[in-house]
Amino acid sequence: MALLKKVRGHEPQVGKKTFLAETAVLIGDVTVGEDCSIWYNAVLRGDVNKIVIGDRTNIQDGTVIHTTFDMSKHPSQTHIGNDVSIGHNATIHGAVIEDKCLIGMGATVLDNAVVGTGCIIAANALVLANSRLEPNSLYAGIPAKKIKEVTPEQRSEIIERTARDYRLYASWFEEKE
């Protein structure tokens, strides 16, 4: 069973039909929507500020999601929209990721960055703090730069398919033995 830990009076809230892997960790002020999946060794650490995850979003293995304390000079919260896929070993720190995005494996998105709807962030990209990424765009590199627009076909085949596939994968783990 996943570790859900109450901290500073905040207890993680998890929506209906959400899969939590046995080694997933949700701490403090964390809200996860419905039909999501939080995979093995993912850590959502809402001990110092709020983390909100929308519906049908998957947080893949080894991902770390955190924030910056409200009492700091530049506080941040993490808000991740609906139908988002966060790839293996990504780090999301106090950023906003709007709906229908794909964050590649090993990518890092830093404090107060905003990833617009329909974006793809390439594997191992670094989105700097306070960045504002244009919707429906592909970003890659260190630091991340816009490479091109995301086509409707890419949205369907990459972003929407991945989100849909992870709902299927999660269903395999919910089977009764």
Side-chain angles (χ1 to χ4, degrees):
M1 173 157 199
L3 173 63
L4 279 70
K5 185 170 182 67
K6 184 176 183 177
V7 175
R8 296 177 55 227
H10 298 286
E11 190 169 351
Q13 303 296 310
V14 179
K16 296 176 186 170
K17 299 192 312 187
T18 288
F19 167 71
L20 300 177
E22 293 87 348
T23 57
V25 177
L26 286 71
I27 299 171
D29 197 355
V30 174
T31 302
V32 179
E34 295 184 4
D35 295 311
C36 293
S37 57
I38 313 297
W39 291 87
Y40 296 92
N41 298 323
V43 176
L44 285 66
R45 205 176 106 210
D47 55 345
V48 300
N49 217 327
K50 180 184 298 273
I51 296 170
V52 178
I53 310 293
D55 297 332
R56 300 170 306 281
T57 288
N58 62 87
I59 309 298
Q60 296 173 22
D61 314 69
T63 293
V64 174
I65 300 176
H66 197 231
T67 63
T68 300
F69 188 43
D70 262 339
M71 303 303 286
S72 69
K73 186 173 181 180
H74 301 285
S76 65
Q77 297 181 355
T78 297
H79 292 268
I80 299 174
N82 300 320
D83 304 297
V84 173
S85 295
I86 307 291
H88 311 292
N89 294 310
T91 300
I92 311 299
H93 200 282
V96 173
I97 300 171
E98 295 180 350
D99 296 341
K100 296 187 177 185
C101 291
L102 184 138
I103 308 301
M105 294 180 282
T108 300
V109 184
L110 295 176
D111 293 280
N112 299 305
V114 177
V115 177
T117 298
C119 277
I120 297 174
I121 307 302
N124 294 312
L126 171 62
V127 177
L128 297 176
N130 303 308
S131 297
R132 299 290 181 265
L133 280 60
E134 295 177 34
N136 301 309
S137 299
L138 168 65
Y139 286 81
I142 301 172
K145 302 271 190 236
K146 182 177 176 180
I147 304 300
K148 65 177 194 160
E149 297 288 319
V150 174
T151 67
E153 294 80 17
Q154 289 169 321
R155 263 193 308 282
S156 175
E157 180 54 30
I158 299 170
I159 298 172
E160 294 171 13
R161 180 191 50 80
T162 302
R164 187 175 53 251
D165 286 354
Y166 267 84
R167 286 194 305 279
L168 171 65
Y169 304 158
S171 74
W172 299 341
F173 291 84
E174 296 168 353
E175 294 176 2
K176 304 292 184 232
E177 301 203 17

